[in-house]
Amino acid sequence: MEGQALTDALDGLRQEVRQWLADNAPHGWRERSSSEAAFLQIQRDWFAKLVEGGYAVPHWPAQWPGGGRSLAEQKILYEELARADTPRLLLSFMSTYHAACTLFEWASEEQQALLIPRILAGEIWCQGFSEPNAGSDLANVRTRAERVGDHYVVNGQKLWSTMGQFADKCLLLVRTSNDGPKQAGLTYLLLDLKAPGVIARPIHQIHGDEEFAELFLDNVEIPVSDRLGEEGQGWAVAQSTLSSERGLTLLELSARLRGALWRLGELIRAQGRQDDQGIVRDFGRLSAKVDATCAVADQFLANRIAGIERVGDASIVKLSYSRTLRDFTSLGIRLGGIDAQYHSPITFGGGMETGNWMADFMNSYAWTIAGGSDEVQRNIIAERLVGMPREPKSWTLKEGAA
Amino acid sequence: MTMTRAEVQDAADKAFGQSELAPDAAQSWALIAEMGWLMMGVPEELGGLGLGREATGVIHQGVGKALVPGPVLAQMLTIEALAAADDLPERDALIADAMAGEVMTASLAGGLDGADRLTCVPDADTASHVLHVTDDRVALVPAEQVSVTYREGWDKSHRLFDVVLEGPGLTLARGDAARALADRIEALRLFCLAGDSLGGAEAALAMTVAYLETRQQFDRPLALFQALKHRVADMRTQLTAADALFWSRAQQADADIIALGALKALACAVYRLVAEEAIQLHGGIGLTMEHPCHLFLKRAMLNGALGGDADHWDERTGRAALEAAA
Ligand SMILES: Cc1cc2nc3c(=O)[nH]c(=O)nc-3n(C[C@H](O)[C@H](O)[C@H](O)COP(=O)(O)OP(=O)(O)OC[C@H]3O[C@@H](n4cnc5c(N)ncnc54)[C@H](O)[C@@H]3O)c2cc1C
């Protein structure tokens, strides 16, 4: 399709989605989402509805229900979802992006046939990469997996697993060997969180929400058939998950950011600051940044589809997004004045759209820290894209230092 | 004065320097009263210590550093107003009570309060009196004549209330005297908010540096990364400059509202920068309730909004600077 025909088709889709949202978008979720149980219910219901409408996973390949949408179509969908003020799918986000996209790349046909439909049916995944001593230095993972016959026996602790306390399954990075470079001893397993020996303990985040959890694994058995890639190939598989987290998810998130700019516009008018040049300029600058973030996410995906994605491209997308989101929520607080300093009940499941600016602002740190912090992205960009030398690997510490 | 500043500093370090962050509210309040901190700015003839702005600055930096909860700033604003009310018969008794720690509170929001509504009034539920400042009258309204509503804030180190006045209270000043007093109160509020912010920034920076020195990633302490060292150096530079301005303003008895507003806006910007960087440089742990990082961030954000935000003061400062540069 070209030119006018394409534009017409996209306009048609926008109308179709808008109509569907008018009939199906949940109402009053913000008010109702202040309890965990209500949050879970709203999220599950909304996900199921989107699956039914064919709008839950537009980024999946065409052979799966709801998949095969073009980039332009996906964007329209996300913008309309934001405009209709629907809750972000926090609960199933990891399942439909991190898990699914890793599975598409690495899982066998049998594994895919088994696991992908369950995601559509509402199975929740979380990501178990980080550990107390493996944060930015992800290769330092120490959770140990010992092969015994046709299964692995796993022992260790995982930290900051988003939605870990609600999840059914976990993308698990473990150590199967201590020989050679750290990365070479890693293996990627799919953990059933209902298995004996798994304990999830929620952790309180600073905005009051329990969004992530730590996982304790005590002699947990994982069948060898639940491994992605070969033993020792975990680092490469993990890069797929991270690339999805840093790049692919951002098409949705940046389009939602653009779709949510009206929230700030409304606030500027409500505060009578439409003639305040400082505010108007900053809002203008922010809108341009949001557009640039959307554009760089689009470009990333186009390159990925064309097979010319470079290592590090995803880092640019993530770094643009995290900084723009910080500016976005900061402007909200600035406009909110003293009111933004008051605590209103936490709305789970919002990104920059909870209607609670301080919570959104604090939550924006999730994006500058999680999924590889801004500093780590900068290192990747400088070293992998710009070609600057890497930091020396070994350091000589003075006796007694640290 | 320099001598005194050092002495007060020493006392402040002893009182809150060793204790943990965000100490117990009731105990802190008792300690503050016991140490005579509420008497600092009160003239000697009224039973105070007659120390100037510098001593007040030390106290508020100390309070900010330890994230001490409670109404100390609001109390000092009220005491300042009482000290000026020289034809109020019961003044001496009221000052004595206030200096001894009986809570008398005031709005921290800034600007002139509305006719009968005040916002951001700390500990109004336990206060015997609330200060009310308008354009032509400054009054002290007893608890029986106010109704208070708690407003839960993000910063849990302040318990803030909306207050509705239901009676006239005692007049402390009227007309020109009231206008002059309103300015003095505002000046004090801005100066103290700046002090609290700089103290908090100092503590948050120290905490972050200590963390970078111990936390290991990639087989080395984070402090070995130049990218992080430079961030620390930037913070140190901005904080030192703002702190220098703070002490310079503390010595200028005639520093006007705009000069103090500019100071407050700068101090709060530095506090926010340091608090944000503290979270970022702590990584995941900085984003949890278990770690104190967020306490600094929430107080920094509140301080930024109290007493007029940066938009308000930057604009006034810009206009004043433009006039001065003409
Ligand atoms: C909200 C949230 C959700 C998360 N969800 C998940 C999840 O679902 N699954 C999961 O596995 N993990 C998750 N994480 C963990 C996240 O990936 C880590 O927090 C992150 O990688 C940083 O690691 P760290 O917390 O150990 O910080 P550290 O690695 O200790 O970093 C501390 C600071 O040092 C900086 N730093 C580190 N190394 C360098 C360097 N080489 N050069 C310059 N600066 C450096 C960092 O950028 C940071 O500012 C989540 C974290 C958060 C905050």
Side-chain angles (χ1 to χ4, degrees), chain A residues 127 129-130 135-136 160 162 373 375 379, chain B residues 215 217 225 280 284:
Chain A
Q127 177 177 320
F129 287 10
S130 305
S136 298
W160 324 130
T162 300
S373 66
E375 291 72 27
N379 283 340
Chain B
R215 169 78 172 162
Q217 290 283 276
F225 289 112
Q280 181 67 26

Side-chain angles (χ1 to χ4, degrees), chain A residues 1 37 49 70 87 100 167 178 188 190-191 195 203 213 229-230 245 300 314 321 325 329-330 340 342 376 383 398:
Chain A
M1 251 193 299
K49 198 152 249 178
S70 71
N178 284 313
Y188 201 106
L190 306 176
L191 164 69
I203 307 172
E230 297 304 314
E245 178 169 18
F300 168 81
Y321 177 76
L325 181 65
T329 53
S330 254
Y342 294 122
V376 165
E383 290 166 5
K398 267 188 291 169

Side-chain angles (χ1 to χ4, degrees), chain A residues 131-138 140 160 182 201 203-208 212 273 276 279 323 326 330 333-334 337-344 346 356 358-359 361-363 365-366 368-369 373-376 378 391-395 397 402, chain B residues 109 119-120 151-156 160-162 213-221 224-228 231 272 275-277 279-291 293-294 297-298 301-303 305-307 309 311-312 315:
Chain A
E131 296 181 10
N133 290 305
S136 298
D137 185 8
L138 189 56
N140 204 34
W160 324 130
K182 280 186 197 168
R201 187 184 75 93
I203 307 172
H204 240 94
Q205 238 168 288
I206 60 173
H207 60 290
F212 48 31
R273 294 182 80 173
D276 180 332
I279 289 287
R323 287 292 141 183
R326 180 71 49 79
S330 254
I333 293 192
R334 199 169 136 201
I338 293 277
D339 278 348
Q341 303 297 322
Y342 294 122
H343 193 278
S344 42
I346 276 293
N356 196 334
M358 193 68 81
F361 170 70
M362 291 193 276
N363 210 21
Y365 288 92
T368 55
I369 295 171
S373 66
D374 281 3
E375 291 72 27
V376 165
R378 290 185 186 115
E391 305 234 15
K393 270 216 176 351
S394 59
W395 292 71
L397 285 180
Chain B
T119 58
C120 303
R151 297 288 302 276
E152 187 188 358
W154 282 100
D155 174 14
K156 298 287 183 281
L160 298 179
F161 292 80
D162 284 349
E213 282 168 353
T214 41
R215 169 78 172 162
Q216 303 237 358
Q217 290 283 276
F218 304 97
D219 303 321
R220 72 201 72 168
L224 273 176
F225 289 112
Q226 200 171 59
L228 303 185
R231 302 257 286 271
R272 176 167 167 181
E276 287 201 41
E277 289 285 74
I279 293 198
Q280 181 67 26
L281 298 184
H282 276 78
I285 189 77
L287 216 64
T288 66
M289 283 282 190
E290 289 158 34
H291 197 281
C293 271
H294 69 105
L297 181 73
K298 289 168 183 170
M301 300 306 285
L302 180 63
N303 283 358
L306 293 175
D309 67 3
D311 280 340
H312 175 77
E315 185 171 343

Side-chain angles (χ1 to χ4, degrees), chain A residues 44 122-126 164 166-170 191-194:
Chain A
R44 287 187 192 284
E123 199 166 70
I124 303 304
W125 284 74
C126 69
F166 310 120
D168 307 296
K169 293 268 171 61
C170 176
L191 164 69
D192 183 346
L193 288 168
K194 307 281 182 299

Side-chain angles (χ1 to χ4, degrees), chain A residues 240-307:
Chain A
S240 291
T241 313
L242 291 173
S243 161
S244 150
E245 178 169 18
R246 289 170 189 171
L248 197 59
T249 57
L250 271 308
L251 183 77
E252 167 171 352
L253 293 169
S254 54
R256 284 194 77 109
L257 205 52
R258 176 151 58 196
L261 275 170
W262 62 267
R263 294 194 142 275
L264 288 171
E266 205 165 70
L267 198 53
I268 290 172
R269 280 185 287 271
Q271 304 286 327
R273 294 182 80 173
Q274 54 275 59
D275 298 321
D276 180 332
Q277 292 187 11
I279 289 287
V280 173
R281 277 194 194 132
D282 287 349
F283 186 55
R285 205 169 290 141
L286 175 71
S287 322
K289 265 187 154 182
V290 168
D291 280 349
T293 302
C294 290
V296 83
D298 290 359
Q299 186 189 56
F300 168 81
L301 276 150
N303 287 349
R304 174 176 246 222
I305 291 164

Side-chain angles (χ1 to χ4, degrees), chain B residues 174-226:
Chain B
R174 269 193 203 285
D176 287 346
R179 271 181 285 279
L181 183 53
D183 266 9
R184 261 172 61 191
I185 290 169
E186 184 161 16
L188 184 62
R189 174 164 42 216
L190 292 166
F191 180 72
C192 295
L193 284 169
D196 188 272
S197 300
L198 294 173
E202 197 65 54
L205 180 55
M207 181 181 78
T208 305
V209 170
Y211 186 75
L212 294 177
E213 282 168 353
T214 41
R215 169 78 172 162
Q216 303 237 358
Q217 290 283 276
F218 304 97
D219 303 321
R220 72 201 72 168
L222 291 174
L224 273 176
F225 289 112
Q226 200 171 59

